[in-house]
Amino acid sequence: MPVRVRFAPSPTGPLHMGGVRTALFNYLFAKHTGGTFLLRIEDTDQNRFVPGAEDYIMESLRWCGIEPFESPAAGGPYGPYRQSERKELGIYASEIKKLLDGGMAYYAFDTAEDLEQMRKKLEQEKSSNQQYNALTRMEMKNSLSLSREETYSLLEKQTPYVIRLKTPEENTPIRFHDLIRGDVEVFSHQIDDKVLIKSDGMPTYHFAHIVDDYLMKISHIIRGEEWLPSAPAHVLIWKALGWEMPALVHLPLLLRPDGNGKLSKRDGDRLGFPVFPLEWKDPFSGEVSTGYREKGYYPEAFVNMLAFLGWNPGTEQEIFSMEELAAHFSFDHVHKAGAKFDPEKAVWFNAKYLHSREPEALLPAIHKGLAEQNISRPFSDEYLLKSIALLRDRVHFEHEMTQKGIYLFQSPVKYDEAIISKRWKTEYRVFFEVWSEQCKTISTADAQHWESAFKNQCQGLRIKPGEVLQLFRVLISGESSGVDLFPMAALLGGQEISARIEKALSHPLMKEV
Ligand code: GLU
């Protein structure tokens, strides 16, 4: 059977990184096996539908480079790929009829109050079974507890109903195999009579995804661990429909950085890291959450980081392109235990990608950064490439080059006060005045020459280089640390350095002491 896998999100909000990880593992498995990856939109829950969410999902996948072969946009042989459209075609109605006719599903007419009463009663009785299932359903208002006539009369009167799965009366074992978790066994009395068709006529996730997975010829269901508890009920539904179930794969949960509980949007907000691939503006509250894209992550780095949340290649290699991931991916190296998300590692991945970028490829980022900081002075490509060479390996994101290295593009407006007050001595004024004069005469861009000139002057004026090195840096850059000092001086050039020193010496900070 050819491999066909699907990512089946519900458009109930932005795609969380856990969702993208599920899409990625489906995609990698399809690529690894030469199979097909498709996107199906599961929009049968009208109450939870969020406008814009589907577009967000599509754009997120596109940004990550996870292109579905079949989807609502691309179409395909098993469409439509939106469940609401499939419902209109009567796909679920004809399948539910088979279950009703075969006695594997039944009508239930309970009102919200009936259900609440049952819940309270079970709670009071401290019953070990708190569900609507084979043990409790005979007390409820449904076609298993009513006579045929009563049922028909209720249906004729258009009494609201749902259609439920009939779980076995006998407490029978339900067994299935999960490619990551191995053999799983659950007893049927632990399973509830899941609603398959809701009172609005829409199929539930539990029913619709099974019908669709069958009709779309899905070979492997790869999804998050949160669906594992529902899997036994799904096994019963597959059996009731008389279809062979695809292979099951439940991916490990994404955990908070401290390992305590599931990673959520609130953790991101609280600790300051994104949990969504792209920025999301909530259409109801107007609240905006930043995304990885807006934070300046490369999609390749984001994908690489995600791949390691639950999977490892079994070697020391950490940097993988999408192609390499696909080549190495297998469920043998996906672990069961929850995967702890490490925001620092995410930054590390981005830096790794940045540091391997060709300097030329970073020119647009520098131009953008300069424009954002309103620096209109033109710089030659040669100057910018040399700046990139100094800055690139010191930062984690492209935009940080012009933020952290702004002194390569304009003379400082403020100086690190802590360092000045700690290190500045009046006698250094003469040193820097002389040095400034000398800088005017240095025309070479050779960093070593700059270094020896500086040291020679120190020797001449009997000052240890260590005493004035950091001050020199502060005077020309405003900062107490940054890119290598003499290469920076060589790049800025003698005239500029001299002008910057003079400007600094007239600053009140240097005057007062
Ligand atoms: N619509 C479900 C979700 O949003 C899909 C779960 C599955 O992959 O079966 O999580």
Side-chain angles (χ1 to χ4, degrees):
M1 186 175 173
V3 165
R4 287 181 54 85
V5 292
R6 82 311 191 262
F7 177 49
S10 303
T12 54
L15 197 53
H16 187 274
M17 56 193 274
V20 193
R21 202 267 318 255
T22 300
L24 176 65
F25 283 21
N26 271 283
Y27 179 73
L28 292 177
F29 183 63
K31 277 186 75 109
H32 183 81
T33 52
T36 301
F37 167 72
L38 64 92
L39 171 69
R40 181 174 73 222
I41 297 292
E42 302 208 322
D43 56 349
T44 58
D45 194 344
Q46 290 164 328
N47 296 329
R48 295 180 58 221
F49 180 81
V50 173
E54 182 181 323
D55 288 342
Y56 180 95
I57 291 167
M58 308 270 279
E59 205 186 327
S60 301
L61 295 183
R62 206 171 301 128
W63 182 70
C64 293
I66 303 173
E67 214 44 72
F69 206 68
E70 298 165 24
S71 71
Y78 302 96
Y81 291 86
R82 260 184 221 105
Q83 286 185 330
S84 55
E85 291 166 21
R86 300 175 68 76
K87 192 237 165 208
E88 291 310 307
L89 297 179
I91 288 174
Y92 309 111
S94 59
E95 300 303 337
I96 200 68
K97 188 164 179 316
K98 285 187 208 159
L99 293 189
L100 286 166
D101 291 348
M104 273 102 58
Y106 62 91
Y107 293 100
F109 303 94
D110 314 282
T111 61
E113 295 81 60
D114 294 336
L115 294 171
E116 180 57 18
Q117 241 175 19
M118 162 165 121
R119 197 189 58 76
K120 278 203 180 128
K121 181 168 166 269
L122 293 172
E123 212 174 72
Q124 271 162 13
E125 288 169 358
K126 296 204 169 27
S127 163
S128 58
N129 174 57
Q130 300 268 339
Q131 318 186 69
Y132 197 125
N133 66 3
L135 299 173
T136 51
R137 68 187 170 219
M138 290 317 283
E139 294 178 35
M140 302 302 289
K141 208 193 298 166
N142 60 52
S143 56
L144 298 176
S145 61
L146 303 172
S147 70
R148 251 169 180 272
E149 291 67 35
E150 283 170 316
T151 300
Y152 280 128
S153 133
L154 286 173
L155 287 175
E156 249 163 41
K157 277 190 268 165
Q158 309 218 322
T159 316
Y161 65 80
V162 299
I163 299 177
R164 287 182 180 271
L165 168 71
K166 186 179 168 206
T167 56
E169 261 122 58
E170 296 249 317
N171 196 14
T172 33
I174 299 165
R175 300 191 181 97
F176 62 91
H177 183 77
D178 180 292
L179 292 190
I180 295 175
R181 283 142 219 285
D183 292 325
V184 180
E185 183 184 83
V186 176
F187 277 79
S188 66
H189 281 185
Q190 283 165 268
I191 300 168
D192 60 332
D193 287 5
K194 288 225 178 303
V195 173
L196 305 178
I197 303 288
K198 292 179 282 184
S199 55
D200 62 3
M202 286 300 235
T204 56
Y205 156 70
H206 301 294
F207 187 58
H209 91 275
I210 290 175
V211 172
D212 290 341
D213 284 347
Y214 174 73
L215 294 176
M216 293 181 172
K217 297 199 166 34
I218 296 303
S219 61
H220 296 72
I221 296 178
I222 306 165
R223 61 185 171 196
E225 185 178 333
E226 61 274 22
W227 295 109
L228 189 59
S230 309
H234 298 166
V235 173
L236 291 179
I237 303 172
W238 280 95
K239 272 208 188 115
L241 287 163
W243 297 333
E244 199 186 319
M245 194 172 186
L248 273 183
V249 186
H250 288 93
L251 304 176
L253 289 177
L254 295 196
L255 304 179
R256 288 188 185 137
D258 63 7
N260 276 331
K262 257 175 85 169
L263 182 70
S264 78
K265 172 177 166 331
R266 261 181 301 136
D267 299 310
D269 291 348
R270 193 167 47 88
L271 299 168
F273 53 78
V275 294
F276 301 135
L278 317 179
E279 184 176 281
W280 169 254
K281 183 165 188 245
D282 190 288
F284 304 114
S285 66
E287 192 190 323
V288 177
S289 310
T290 41
Y292 281 86
R293 182 177 65 182
E294 291 69 28
K295 280 259 180 188
Y297 281 84
Y298 292 121
E300 301 91 317
F302 174 66
V303 162
N304 198 153
M305 177 273 289
L306 267 191
F308 274 74
L309 292 177
W311 171 84
N312 67 73
T315 62
E316 294 297 302
Q317 187 182 341
E318 288 188 281
I319 300 302
F320 284 82
S321 66
M322 189 72 101
E323 296 303 318
E324 288 172 312
L325 284 172
H328 288 83
F329 188 80
S330 96
F331 292 119
D332 299 340
H333 286 284
V334 178
H335 51 74
K336 279 189 243 184
K340 238 189 267 178
F341 168 64
D342 177 355
E344 279 168 30
K345 191 75 186 185
V347 172
W348 179 87
F349 270 110
N350 205 69
K352 278 279 176 196
Y353 277 82
L354 172 61
H355 300 167
S356 67
R357 284 278 193 277
E358 291 298 329
E360 284 77 8
L362 297 173
L363 280 173
I366 292 276
H367 285 299
K368 185 165 172 261
L370 292 177
E372 276 166 6
Q373 306 217 33
N374 294 320
I375 296 177
S376 52
R377 189 181 135 198
F379 292 96
S380 66
D381 275 0
E382 191 195 346
Y383 186 92
L384 294 180
L385 288 171
K386 283 185 178 166
S387 308
I388 291 171
L390 289 178
L391 290 166
R392 186 193 62 184
D393 294 353
R394 306 186 62 86
V395 296
H396 302 106
F397 295 93
E398 284 187 351
H399 61 260
E400 289 177 346
M401 290 190 293
T402 42
Q403 283 173 1
K404 297 202 170 151
I406 187 66
Y407 47 79
L408 293 185
F409 311 103
Q410 68 180 17
S411 113
V413 282
K414 49 184 201 326
Y415 302 90
D416 187 320
E417 285 192 33
I419 294 296
I420 302 281
S421 57
K422 190 167 145 210
R423 293 197 179 268
W424 185 258
K425 288 187 189 156
T426 322
E427 66 240 46
Y428 295 156
R429 171 170 286 278
V430 178
F431 172 85
F432 281 111
E433 277 166 0
V434 177
W435 174 232
S436 166
E437 281 310 310
Q438 210 204 319
C439 287
K440 284 186 195 156
T441 68
I442 306 179
S443 56
T444 174
D446 174 18
Q448 261 175 359
H449 179 96
W450 271 89
E451 185 165 356
S452 14
F454 185 80
K455 288 189 175 154
N456 284 345
Q457 154 142 357
C458 290
Q459 218 170 22
L461 296 182
R462 294 183 192 286
I463 287 184
K464 286 201 197 98
E467 290 179 50
V468 281
L469 256 181
Q470 200 183 21
L471 284 170
F472 176 39
R473 176 188 288 285
V474 176
L475 298 195
I476 61 170
S477 74
E479 311 276 341
S480 54
S481 63
V483 303
D484 294 338
L485 182 58
F486 292 108
M488 163 164 68
L491 175 64
L492 288 170
Q495 295 297 331
E496 175 72 13
I497 297 279
S498 170
R500 287 190 182 192
I501 293 175
E502 275 163 34
K503 180 178 154 193
L505 290 179
S506 67
H507 190 276
L509 263 180
M510 265 57 78
K511 272 187 172 164
E512 278 163 16
V513 266

